[in-house]
Amino acid sequence: MRYRLSKLLLFTLCLLPMAAQASGFAQLGRLADKGFMISAEARLIDEGEVLGSIEPERQLSPASVTKSYLAAAALDRWGPQHRFTTRLVSAARPDADGLLEGDLVLDGGGDPALTTEDLWRLVQRLHQAGVREVEGRLLVSQWRFGPVECITTDRCQARERSANAYSALLSSAGVNYGSWCVSVAPGASPGDAARVTGCDSQAAILRIDNRVETRPDNSGTELRAERVTRDGHDTMVLSGQISTNARPRDIYRASSDPADQTAMTLLAMLDQAGIAVRGGADTTQAEPPAGARTLAAVEGKPLQELLLRVMNYSNNFMADTLALNLVETPRADLRLGGLAIEQFVAGIPDHGPVTLFSGSGLTTENRTSAIGTNALLASMFHRPSLFPSFVATLQSPGNGVMRFIRRGSPTFQHHVMLKTGTLNQPVTVRAASGYFRTRSGRWGVFTVLVNGTGSTPYLSWSEVLDPLAVDLEQMIDTH
């Protein structure tokens, strides 16, 4: 009789849904009953004790959790204080009258956070070097990488039009994260067209198609913007309305060609500084001449500051630019960047398989597992010279910049540091990974990868973070 009961109990357990078998993830595991695929693991670092597990070796898309891999690989390669340098060079020398009898070349150094402020500093230093006129052309050299082949739908579409900034195309000579910025302000009176300028200049550098109407005070502001490419020129198409008492609104949209955007922006700045360029501006994939002299240079921010922006704001342009910089040979593409990160991961004990087609996670082919991602996190924890810079890139739910993570109990909000990942096409992906501190002060790592299928419903972040917060809170409180 006892044997029959044991068999019956075993049979019953086999029929229980995933939620009942999800050790340590009782709440999160219920998503499996809705058809979602899950790879999850939480464990303590000091003794490796597993506190929760759902198919931890299953290979799933990590979406932007990929950026944790990129951050670790970048810190390993360059260290926290590395800076990327952008230079203005020329094979010619300015004469006594300030004439440069040759081309002026911007040598794109792959700085993922190069801004118009940096370009302006370059121009001022060029002026200090005595240059007043360039007889040749302004050439923006993207010999390291660019234009980079687009392998995601959004980026490929951005070559013709874009209604967002996250799909920015890539170049080692890109500026302002590969996006144009325009500022929209109300006109003088209701019925007037809105006033549109560049965010960094009184006159917009790209073409403007302004259809925004000024409305009376407090009538509401609703703006729509799309960057389209017409006859080889980028045009910002704006429509909607803005109230007369509204503040100016900045709008960012991906450019069709980041290097060309840099060339146009820099040419306008040179003109504003009184440095004429007779030959106009163009882009090139050729490396600057071997004998070219540096006329002006500007260093970017330290890597640890770059990674704060990459991770906190999940900046795809910056992440993929850093991944491309990891490739040691010129003309890098996204897959080569992914392979460079994979080579770094190969040195992490017990990680297991990983496939990366980008450093951003925009590529839907990226695959890793919860157990692998936790191995990455644990390996960085044991590197005292790099761990402070790495863990600082993660957000605490209680005070992170992303509002959607501000949920759960005070325990979850203040004992957890995480990076999230989101994709909606071709299937839903919700991923979260990071560290936690238990009540007794022990460190733990956790990774949760949730992937939908073609038949699963839409999955909101609350459906993932709320049960995850409950499960992690229990682990934190009991250890």
Side-chain angles (χ1 to χ4, degrees):
M1 183 67 173
R2 187 172 299 170
Y3 174 71
R4 281 187 176 180
L5 287 174
S6 297
K7 288 187 68 177
L8 179 61
L9 179 60
L10 180 62
F11 178 73
T12 302
L13 286 173
C14 289
L15 294 178
L16 287 176
M18 175 68 75
Q21 301 179 50
S23 173
F25 286 110
Q27 301 300 317
L28 185 75
R30 294 175 180 172
L31 288 174
D33 299 335
K34 299 181 180 180
F36 290 97
M37 296 182 292
I38 303 174
S39 179
E41 185 194 60
R43 60 183 173 90
L44 298 175
I45 294 178
D46 51 6
E47 297 177 358
E49 179 185 354
V50 176
L51 307 183
S53 177
I54 304 174
E55 299 198 49
E57 297 184 5
R58 174 184 259 175
Q59 294 281 301
L60 294 175
S61 169
S64 282
V65 168
T66 299
K67 294 181 176 72
S68 293
Y69 283 87
L70 176 277
L75 287 168
D76 177 76
R77 171 71 66 84
W78 297 303
Q81 300 309 317
H82 177 77
R83 296 171 185 258
F84 295 94
T85 302
T86 305
R87 304 181 303 149
L88 284 173
V89 304
S90 180
R93 297 188 180 189
D95 63 19
D97 296 323
L99 177 64
L100 189 71
E101 296 183 348
D103 292 333
L104 177 66
V105 182
L106 182 133
D107 183 3
D111 185 348
L114 186 72
T115 64
T116 46
E117 178 184 358
D118 296 316
L119 294 185
W120 184 247
R121 288 164 61 201
L122 272 177
V123 169
Q124 296 309 303
R125 289 171 184 176
L126 184 69
H127 194 276
Q128 289 174 341
V131 177
R132 297 295 181 271
E133 186 175 4
V134 178
E135 186 178 54
R137 300 165 295 170
L138 168 65
L139 291 176
V140 171
S141 172
Q142 50 183 338
W143 66 272
R144 290 176 172 85
F145 51 87
V148 177
E149 180 186 3
C150 63
I151 57 175
T152 60
T153 300
D154 287 342
R155 278 195 172 131
C156 290
Q157 291 176 343
R159 293 178 300 183
E160 301 297 330
R161 59 180 62 242
S162 179
N164 60 64
Y166 70 79
S167 60
L169 294 155
L170 304 167
S171 168
S172 60
V175 67
N176 294 338
Y177 315 104
S179 292
W180 291 111
C181 178
V182 296
S183 180
V184 182
S189 304
D192 290 349
R195 293 174 293 176
V196 180
T197 64
C199 293
D200 304 296
S201 60
Q202 292 182 352
I205 298 171
L206 79 167
R207 296 178 178 180
I208 301 295
D209 183 350
N210 179 17
R211 308 172 191 177
V212 181
E213 183 180 351
T214 304
R215 297 286 181 87
D217 285 0
N218 304 317
S219 58
T221 296
E222 181 180 347
L223 301 175
R224 294 174 294 278
E226 184 179 36
R227 189 275 305 153
V228 299
T229 303
R230 298 169 176 170
D231 301 323
H233 298 282
D234 281 2
T235 300
M236 190 75 80
V237 181
L238 302 161
S239 61
Q241 66 179 55
I242 185 169
S243 300
T244 50
N245 60 344
R247 294 180 178 179
R249 307 291 178 90
D250 290 346
I251 295 176
Y252 300 84
R253 294 294 183 264
S255 70
S256 65
D257 185 336
D260 186 61
Q261 176 193 352
T262 301
M264 293 174 63
T265 304
L266 183 55
L267 185 65
M269 289 184 170
L270 288 166
D271 180 69
Q272 187 174 349
I275 302 175
V277 180
R278 295 180 185 176
D282 204 351
T283 64
T284 179
Q285 296 181 30
E287 188 173 357
R293 298 174 64 251
T294 298
L295 300 176
V298 62
E299 286 191 335
K301 295 177 175 59
L303 178 64
Q304 63 182 13
E305 293 188 34
L306 298 180
L307 292 177
L308 281 174
R309 300 184 182 191
V310 170
M311 298 285 277
N312 277 210
Y313 298 98
S314 210
N315 190 301
N316 297 312
F317 177 88
M318 294 182 70
D320 282 331
T321 299
L322 283 171
L324 290 163
N325 276 305
L326 288 170
V327 182
E328 295 181 354
T329 55
R331 315 308 318 148
D333 60 28
L334 283 173
R335 179 56 179 145
L336 289 175
L339 285 172
I341 302 173
E342 289 180 23
Q343 290 171 2
F344 160 74
V345 174
I348 299 175
D350 304 319
H351 185 285
V354 61
T355 303
L356 301 176
F357 279 76
S358 70
S360 66
L362 273 181
T363 41
T364 57
E365 301 90 347
N366 285 17
R367 291 292 183 272
T368 190
S369 65
I371 198 170
T373 308
N374 282 348
L376 170 81
L377 296 172
S379 72
M380 294 304 292
F381 178 83
H382 291 297
R383 301 186 67 174
S385 64
L386 301 183
F387 182 65
S389 297
F390 181 75
V391 73
T393 67
L394 303 178
Q395 297 186 62
S396 171
N399 55 26
V401 299
M402 297 299 181
R403 294 184 178 274
F404 74 91
I405 66 174
R406 297 180 188 175
R407 55 197 327 114
S409 69
T411 297
F412 176 73
Q413 290 186 34
H414 302 300
H415 286 250
V416 173
M417 296 145 282
L418 54 76
K419 175 72 185 82
T420 60
T422 306
L423 285 176
N424 293 317
Q425 296 291 337
V427 297
T428 298
V429 176
R430 301 289 182 266
S433 176
Y435 300 93
F436 60 89
R437 294 292 299 275
T438 69
R439 289 292 181 187
S440 63
R442 300 169 73 183
W443 282 83
V445 291
F446 75 96
T447 296
V448 170
L449 309 176
V450 182
N451 285 196
T453 68
S455 59
T456 49
Y458 174 80
L459 184 66
S460 68
W461 262 113
S462 62
E463 293 176 278
V464 175
L465 284 179
D466 289 347
L468 174 61
V470 173
D471 290 336
L472 284 179
E473 179 182 3
Q474 183 176 8
M475 298 175 195
I476 291 168
D477 285 341
T478 56
H479 293 83

